[in-house]
Each structure stands twice: as C-alpha cells, then as structure tokens.
Amino acid sequence: MADRVPQLELGNQLCFALYAASRAATRAYGPELAELGLTYPQYLAMLVLWETSEPLTVGDIGARLHLDSGTLTPLLKRLEDLGLATRTRDRADERRVLVALTEQGRELRTRAAEVPLRLFQRYGIDLATARELVRDLTRITESLQASTRGGAEA
Amino acid sequence: MADRVPQLELGNQLCFALYAASRAATRAYGPELAELGLTYPQYLAMLVLWETSEPLTVGDIGARLHLDSGTLTPLLKRLEDLGLATRTRDRADERRVLVALTEQGRELRTRAAEVPLRLFQRYGIDLATARELVRDLTRITESLQASTRGGAEA
DNA sequence: GCCAACCATATTGTGCACAATCTAATGACG
DNA sequence: CGTCATTAGATTGTGCACAATATGGTTGGC
C-alpha cells in the first residue's frame, strides 16, 4: 500500500529539516537561557534591544524578528514583569509604545554574551559552514516572505 | 552606548536564521494546507502516516517528528475529528494507541502531493542547494540532540 | 474644523511546543 | 502470586505564533 511519493517523504522536505533544526536549537538554548530567566523568544527580543540600547517601538522589534503585536505584547509585558524592560506610550505619538531596557536589562548582556559560543560548539559544524547557512537561510526567508506577501496571483 | 558585541548580533545568529526561516516556511505552507483543511504540524503527521499507511503508535509518530505526547495527543484528536485518522487502543498492549488513516485520510495524499513542489519554487534556491541544506540541517539537528540529551557534563 | 482613511498596538481565540506530573499497563524478579 | 521499576499516553500549565478584530490616535482632504 505504501506506493512511494518521493516529494512527500519527510526526509526530503526542506520545510521539515528547517522545522526540526529550529526546534532543536530552541531546545538547546532552553537550559542556558533559563539560567538568565529568559525563554528563547524573550532572548531574541533582548538581542534586538541590546543592539541599540535606545528605546524601540513594538513595531521596530516586530519588524526585526518578523513577529506581530499579538506575540510581542504579552512577551514584552513579561520582560517588564521581570524588571528587564519598560513599556511607555510615546508622548509624541500616542499610538506607539516605547520599549527600553532597564539597568538590570542592560547588565544581563554580559552574561548572555557567553551563550552563543557555547551553543555554537553543539551545532557540530565549522564557522564557514555556519556563515554559509546563515546566508542561505536568510535568502530563503526573504524569498518566502516576498512570495507570500505577493499573494497568489494566478 | 551600543558597544558592539558581534556574537550577540541578530544577523550573525544561526539560531535566529533557523527560527526565522522555519516560521517563514510554515507561514508559506499555511494557505496551501488550509485548502486541505490542515495546519502545518497536522500535515507533518499526515506525511508520517502516508509513508507506511500502516497503523503507527503515538510514540512512533513522535519519534519521527521529534514531538512528545503533550503535542501529539491533541493534534491527533483533531485529525480524528476531521475524519482523516482513527485512534484505537492496542489490544495487545493497552498502553499504546494505534493511529491509522481512514479512507478519507488516504485520499488526501493525492491533493497533498502537489503542495511541496509549489512551495519549493518559492524558496528561490535550486535543487542542489536544497539537498545540501537538508543534509546540513539534519546533521545540526542530530548534533544538537546528542549534546542536549547528553546533558551538561562539565 | 471635520471626517474618512490609515496607522500602531491591544485583545481574543485556536493551535502548537514542551516541561512536569499523573494514570494505567507491562514485565522482570523474587 | 505480589511488587515494583519501566513504559506509553494523557493531562495540566505556561508561553509562544498568528489570524481576525477592536481600540484609539493621527493625518490629509475638503
């Protein structure tokens, strides 16, 4: 009964390879980040904030991480509860919410700086391959986004 | 204030490239799969079932997708509600639940067979690159899993 | 000045992921 | 035959993702 349909086999699917690798990476980060009191998506938001240490709007962070307000609003509230960030309405444009690091949030960067290196060693690949992968994956992400936004014109 | 810490920059992080690409792929599959009445993880479970069209235990499917019962139990119940699969206790070992395709579930494979090809065109990469990526990503997944299971021996 | 688009964020609801815990069944062993 | 560690799933609780919608703020056209 198992007539083979090669393009449907799990092992051939790029989407599954991406899905499995992404989840494996998130899981691998888990315990490291738990020591900092962060989840993986929270860590990503902190990465964005650490890059400028200037206040950013929810939209700025979302654009960088490809996440919408439905995901970010509760996540950022948790960062606020943790004392790592503040959320304040922009007085100049009351539609916006400005997210800024607290002193505690800034200080966490020192401890976080060690995490990526420890994780890199677990990937089991060399630096050149990693760089190449980042390049290819970024291209795929952009290509998929362009074709998804573009819609399904016949 | 933004002293650069290169290993913390989003654009350098393989984990983020994976995370963003995986989500972009899932989003790109979304509308295609919605026409079949499936979500992306449900589609993955169907892929596993289509490969053998023999009854599989929840554990079998979980091993293949790297998912645990906490994720699969409700997902498989939804497939059952959709009339695509059945869930029955194994009479030989009452701890197990056997998941089998219904006739409707088997039939869905024909329509699903067209989806991966349409998606591949959106990745914007050639077949050789895709194969190489699948190989590298699978290796990373295995390496991360081995080092995660292995635990944190100093 | 008013209002109709538009914009940024928040809210709601569904469906994953995954850790932790629970329940029930199995099978090894005394 | 009992008991007890092991195993397979289910359940519970937290935290994403994301679609759809709601809310409030801004702005350009008139």
Side-chain angles (χ1 to χ4, degrees), chain B residues 55-56 80 86-91 93 96-100:
Chain B
L56 294 175
E80 192 174 30
T86 57
R87 289 167 0 100
T88 46
R89 283 279 160 191
D90 187 347
R91 301 291 292 274
D93 183 344
R96 300 185 183 189
V97 168
L98 293 174
V99 182

Side-chain angles (χ1 to χ4, degrees), chain A residues 7 21 30-31 33 51 63 66 68 84 89 91 94 99 101-102 107 112 116 118-119 124 137 153:
Chain A
Q7 75 273 22
L33 295 177
E51 279 191 6
H66 313 306
D68 68 8
L84 299 175
R89 283 280 162 191
R91 302 291 293 273
E94 294 273 354
V99 182
L101 291 172
T102 62
E107 282 168 5
R118 281 205 290 275
L119 259 291
L137 293 173
E153 74 282 49

